[in-house]
Amino acid sequence: VCAWSAGIFIDSRVLLPAFALLVGAAITLILTILLWQERRSRLIICLFLCLLLGAWRYSTVSLANDPLALSTSIGTSVTIHGTVSEEPKLYGKNHLLSLSDISISRDKGAVWQDAHGQLTVQAPGTEIEDPYGANYGNVVELQGKLLAPLPHSAPNVLANMLFPRIHVIANVGNPLLATLYSWRITLSNIIEQSLPQPAAALLAAILLGLHTPALHPLSPIFSETGTVHLFVSSGFKVTLLAGLVANSTKWLYSNKIEQGKLLPAQKRGGWRRWLST
């Protein structure tokens, strides 16, 4: 793991050709097989192999010197086709869209070419689901100026667009994800209608992982007290969910065990227990 991570770090500083790294890894693999009987040489060569493979992996996914990267068009006005790949997020008094599968035109749609990397788009509005705007799964056309990525953006986000003209063309999203997102918004609206703020915002964050503007004043308090894991996605929440599911499906097999209808060998498995799992 250390050698693999070192390869990633070295290649992030001095970007080497992916093909050359792959050839070097292949030669090193052959040496590893030939010198397998020599314990010390085998260990050193295996470490060097992991270093080369880590560097090769970084080189294949890095967009630093990619001529088709979105970052090469920063500062210019362009037309973009892309797919909203995630549920919109609230960003200050606006909502933030994440776009992937991007095509770009620098001459108002006459010529199109693929562009690598993801794009964030700041659009007006304080609602996560905009019935008249772009949502998850929509294919959109944007017209605007490409800007540098927002602070703390993911490495694959190479540009940002501020308040562009947005036109929804089609919908190609996963229908299951779209349904889940819609249910989450519906449940959040029910909570907000049933409880006062900021209690409603806190409950929506704990149960649904949905961060609304009313939650922002409470965030520093939870950070200072070390309890921020209550309303962010974490293993703690997955554990609670697994416990709830396990307890609520115990009736599938617990009654028969208590009544003594199962043999000792049957208590270890059976389709009922697998269904609960």
Side-chain angles (χ1 to χ4, degrees), residues 3-274:
W4 185 285
S5 302
I8 293 174
F9 177 76
I10 292 171
D11 202 60
S12 69
R13 299 301 182 201
V14 183
L15 191 63
L16 300 173
F19 181 75
L21 291 169
L22 189 60
V23 171
I27 295 172
T28 307
L29 179 61
I30 295 172
L31 290 175
T32 304
I33 297 172
L34 295 176
L35 300 175
W36 189 256
Q37 301 299 328
E38 300 181 20
R39 186 174 180 179
R40 181 175 298 179
S41 300
R42 178 179 63 190
L43 176 62
I44 294 174
I45 293 175
C46 283
L47 290 174
F48 190 64
L49 174 63
C50 290
L51 186 141
L52 288 174
L53 288 175
W56 169 79
R57 172 60 180 162
Y58 179 86
S59 181
T60 57
V61 299
S62 174
L63 299 174
N65 297 323
D66 188 349
L68 297 180
L70 273 174
S71 52
T72 59
S73 300
I74 287 178
T76 59
S77 296
V78 294
T79 304
I80 282 179
H81 283 175
T83 304
V84 182
S85 56
E86 298 178 12
E87 184 184 32
K89 298 178 176 64
L90 295 177
Y91 186 79
K93 296 182 179 180
N94 308 309
H95 68 273
L96 193 68
L97 305 175
S98 296
L99 267 64
S100 59
D101 301 328
I102 294 172
S103 299
I104 189 171
S105 173
R106 298 176 179 84
D107 51 10
K108 298 183 179 180
V111 179
W112 292 90
Q113 68 176 19
D114 291 338
H116 300 161
Q118 289 193 354
L119 171 71
T120 55
V121 179
Q122 288 175 260
T126 57
E127 298 294 331
I128 293 179
E129 189 176 52
D130 184 359
Y132 305 105
N135 294 295
Y136 165 78
N138 291 151
V139 179
V140 295
E141 180 178 288
L142 310 176
Q143 293 181 3
K145 187 176 182 180
L146 284 181
L147 305 173
L150 294 170
H152 312 297
S153 294
N156 58 340
V157 176
L158 302 184
N160 178 56
M161 196 173 269
L162 184 63
F163 304 132
R165 184 182 300 172
I166 302 177
H167 176 60
V168 177
I169 302 175
N171 186 14
V172 297
N174 185 320
L176 177 60
L177 280 180
T179 302
L180 290 175
Y181 288 149
S182 179
W183 284 358
R184 186 160 75 152
I185 297 298
T186 301
L187 290 173
S188 176
N189 291 336
I190 293 172
I191 291 173
E192 290 182 352
Q193 293 169 8
S194 304
L195 294 174
Q197 297 290 6
L202 181 58
L203 184 60
I206 292 174
L207 291 180
L208 308 172
L210 198 61
H211 295 182
T212 55
L215 183 69
H216 294 165
L218 296 179
S219 297
I221 300 173
F222 282 91
S223 298
E224 292 173 7
T225 56
T227 52
V228 71
H229 62 276
L230 291 174
F231 60 85
V232 299
S233 300
S234 65
F236 173 73
K237 290 185 135 182
V238 176
T239 304
L240 290 178
L241 179 61
L244 290 171
V245 173
N247 285 329
S248 62
T249 56
K250 191 182 294 184
W251 60 271
L252 286 170
Y253 57 87
S254 61
N255 290 338
K256 287 197 172 185
I257 293 177
E258 292 171 358
Q259 295 171 6
K261 293 183 178 180
L262 296 180
L263 297 173
Q266 292 176 312
K267 294 179 182 179
R268 292 195 298 268
W271 68 268
R272 292 174 179 270
R273 189 181 292 273
W274 279 111

